Amino acid sequence: MASIRWDSETLRGLQERAARALPAEHVEQVGDWWLRRSATSSWWMATVLPHGAAGRAEVERQIEIAERFYAGSGLATRFQVCPSVCAAELDGRLAERGYRRETPMSLQAAAAADVRTLPAGGLDLQLSAVPTAEWFEVWYAIHGDSSDPRSEWDMLARVTRPSAYASAVDGDQVVAVGRAVADTGWAGVFGMATLPDARGSGAGCGILRVLSEWAIGQGADGLYLQVEKDNDAALGLYGRAGFTEVAGYHYRTAPFGLDPDAADGYADRTAIMEA
């Protein structure tokens, strides 16, 4: 991983891979920006991915297009802002418009060969190409937040890249899960979850190990993941596994109600892009 040049194109590629691994219901491309809309899925699948350089006037024009796009669905306009890959004007312009800065995140990466050396934790580690009911139950217990489970199942069904669903089993109970999605030389790690009673057992390390083995078999030399910067437990696990931050990013959310009239005629010209 030390030989990788972490330039804007590499970082942009990782974030776009993540967007394909967490696919929105609808995506429209406006220039280099991805306008993602998901009425029923988790909020981070309904954000603008605003990549590419642009001057102030172009940034202003594209912000207005994005606001009309989300107004058409009654959704708050929200941007995923990674200064390393976004226009220099974007974050400041959003702040001037009153967008709230929220949810600081860390984009991290590790060599799959290094993660593969983690201890297995003494648990039975299982892999599946599709999510099982037992896998989903553990993930939902930790991350569901009372969301409609059907929308999360639908999101997983939209993933088109090769995927692996890992489970750590203690006796006859799944106690920890995670998933990986392979995409052009990289594999993203998502959905890491460990039941409270199993924390400290090495289950998380075991999940990362088996996912890294699968990733190597898919031709992926690198692993990446996204984690909240205030999630100390997860940051500790990923640090021990060899992950390091390659970029920080955050979200900006419009503080005002959206005017549905701003979207008049917009839906008719929405072109859905295959993510």
Side-chain angles (χ1 to χ4, degrees):
M1 299 298 293
S3 62
I4 294 177
R5 180 182 176 185
W6 296 109
D7 57 16
S8 62
E9 285 304 307
T10 302
L11 297 172
R12 171 177 173 169
L14 290 184
Q15 292 200 324
E16 291 179 355
R17 288 178 180 89
R20 290 191 287 267
L22 295 163
E25 294 170 17
H26 303 287
V27 182
E28 179 178 350
Q29 193 163 16
V30 177
D32 289 330
W33 288 19
W34 293 19
L35 309 185
R36 302 179 292 169
R37 184 172 63 211
S38 288
T40 59
S41 299
S42 300
W43 63 264
W44 51 84
M45 281 172 268
T47 61
V48 182
L49 203 61
H51 291 165
R56 185 181 180 91
E58 181 63 12
V59 165
E60 187 74 18
R61 183 186 73 84
Q62 293 190 199
I63 290 173
E64 292 172 355
I65 291 173
E67 289 174 347
R68 292 198 298 272
F69 177 84
Y70 290 100
S73 298
L75 299 173
T77 308
R78 184 180 283 111
F79 287 78
Q80 179 177 319
V81 181
C82 181
S84 301
V85 299
C86 296
E89 296 276 355
L90 177 63
D91 200 39
R93 187 64 194 108
L94 291 173
E96 290 171 5
R97 293 170 73 93
Y99 278 69
R100 300 185 304 272
R101 190 183 193 276
E102 300 173 326
T103 321
M105 301 289 295
S106 177
L107 175 63
Q108 303 201 353
D114 292 342
V115 179
R116 189 181 191 177
T117 65
L118 289 170
L123 299 172
D124 180 17
L125 301 173
Q126 301 176 3
L127 276 182
S128 173
V130 296
T132 64
E134 294 78 11
W135 185 98
F136 188 87
E137 182 179 351
V138 172
W139 176 87
Y140 189 79
I142 303 302
H143 298 298
D145 295 327
S146 301
S147 61
D148 184 348
R150 293 172 297 181
S151 67
E152 302 300 338
W153 279 107
D154 289 345
M155 185 278 292
L156 295 174
R158 290 195 296 270
V159 179
T160 60
R161 268 63 180 182
S163 300
Y165 294 81
S167 300
V169 182
D170 185 6
D172 59 356
Q173 182 184 13
V174 176
V175 297
V177 299
R179 72 180 177 103
V181 180
D183 188 340
T184 56
W186 287 87
V189 176
F190 304 91
M192 293 287 292
T194 302
L195 295 179
D197 289 347
R199 290 171 187 168
S201 67
C205 284
I207 292 292
L208 289 172
R209 173 176 173 156
V210 74
L211 289 176
S212 68
E213 292 173 345
W214 174 85
I216 291 170
Q218 295 291 318
D221 295 328
L223 301 178
Y224 71 90
L225 54 82
Q226 301 165 107
V227 59
E228 297 91 343
K229 287 196 173 184
D230 62 358
N231 190 339
D232 292 337
L235 289 168
L237 169 63
Y238 300 142
R240 292 190 298 274
F243 285 88
T244 57
E245 180 171 290
V246 296
Y249 66 97
H250 57 274
Y251 293 89
R252 288 275 187 186
T253 303
F256 42 81
L258 297 177
D259 179 4
D261 292 338
D264 283 352
Y266 187 78
D268 291 340
R269 58 187 181 84
T270 298
I272 303 304
M273 181 189 72
E274 291 290 332

